[in-house]
Amino acid sequence: MAYKTIVVELDDHVAVIKLNRPDALNALSTAMLREIVQALREADDNEKVRCIVLTGSEKAFAAGADIGEMAEMSFAEVFGSDLYGPEAQAIVRCRKPVIAAVSGYALGGGCELALMCDFIIASESAKFGQPEVNLGIIAGMGGTQRLTRAVGKAKAMDMHLTGRFMDAAEAERAGLVARVVPAKKLMDEAMAAAHKIAEKSQLALLAAKESVNRAFETPQAEGILHERRLFQSLFATEDQSEGMQAFLDKREAQFRDR
């Protein structure tokens, strides 16, 4: 479909979703969030797509939610419409791996959007923050929860209470991002990771993502049991047989997702 606030491209088995509101530093309007959801659903349903990269511009991944859109809204409006709730829930329901490639500002809703992805590759210019307290509000798309799980209580409290930004080097040390690369190499690195993921068995990828996410949603004993059952269930697939035989034969596996 034709999009107004994002650009979607297919590169072999990788879908690239680029936020495209440059005049607003990719501020997340409800229209943009809905288009992101639609693009993710289309990628999830597209059998050719095996991995997704979500990115912005060199200057800003997304500099926050659209304040102009929210400023005049009342409690009845935001509560009655469940502002951002349905979109955020739909984004995290994407089953295929999603990489956030972040350069420049990832603030407020932009930081939360990056945290909804499976992992973040950041450029050296990336800056993360949850400065909603400066507006008299708090994060509303999971920032108090996901950031705390990513970097721990102390740093999360620091960022949410003071509104300070975290640069890429600190974000990597804190465990917020998986890798930091030069800005000019950001998309090359993200696409290389995406294509590497796309080579794997789709069934194993779905199981791995589901199992890792369980670590944040269930007690450890339940998560370990869930992991073991998924591990065992993959022995019912052709891809498991192919993968192990390819290893023994010292050749590249040819996965067929069945």
Side-chain angles (χ1 to χ4, degrees), residues 150-229:
V151 304
K153 178 183 176 182
K155 284 188 178 294
M157 280 289 192
D158 184 7
M159 293 174 72
H160 282 286
L161 298 183
T162 70
R164 80 170 181 90
F165 299 167
M166 179 183 285
D167 65 21
E170 183 183 0
E172 185 177 32
R173 291 196 304 270
L176 176 59
V177 307
R179 316 177 195 178
V180 176
V181 300
K184 291 183 179 179
K185 295 185 177 180
L186 175 63
M187 286 308 295
D188 289 341
E189 190 83 7
M191 293 302 290
H195 285 298
K196 177 64 72 174
I197 289 169
E199 296 172 358
K200 314 304 182 187
S201 164
Q202 183 82 11
L203 298 174
L205 292 173
L206 294 175
K209 175 170 176 172
E210 183 178 307
S211 189
V212 171
N213 283 331
R214 278 294 178 108
F216 296 101
E217 299 162 357
T218 63
Q220 181 173 280
E222 291 299 319
I224 289 172
L225 177 59
H226 184 77
E227 172 196 84
R228 189 160 65 249
R229 292 294 179 252

Side-chain angles (χ1 to χ4, degrees), residues 102-158:
V102 176
S103 189
Y105 296 114
L107 308 177
C111 185
E112 291 172 297
L113 178 60
L115 284 164
M116 292 180 211
C117 299
D118 295 311
F119 65 92
I120 302 169
I121 298 178
S123 81
E124 293 170 335
S125 70
K127 288 182 171 58
F128 300 88
Q130 299 287 172
E132 289 89 348
V133 69
N134 295 329
L135 304 175
I137 57 174
I138 66 170
M141 286 187 278
T144 62
Q145 306 304 300
R146 293 190 179 93
L147 184 63
T148 305
R149 284 168 167 79
V151 304
K153 178 183 176 182
K155 284 188 178 294
M157 280 289 192
D158 184 7

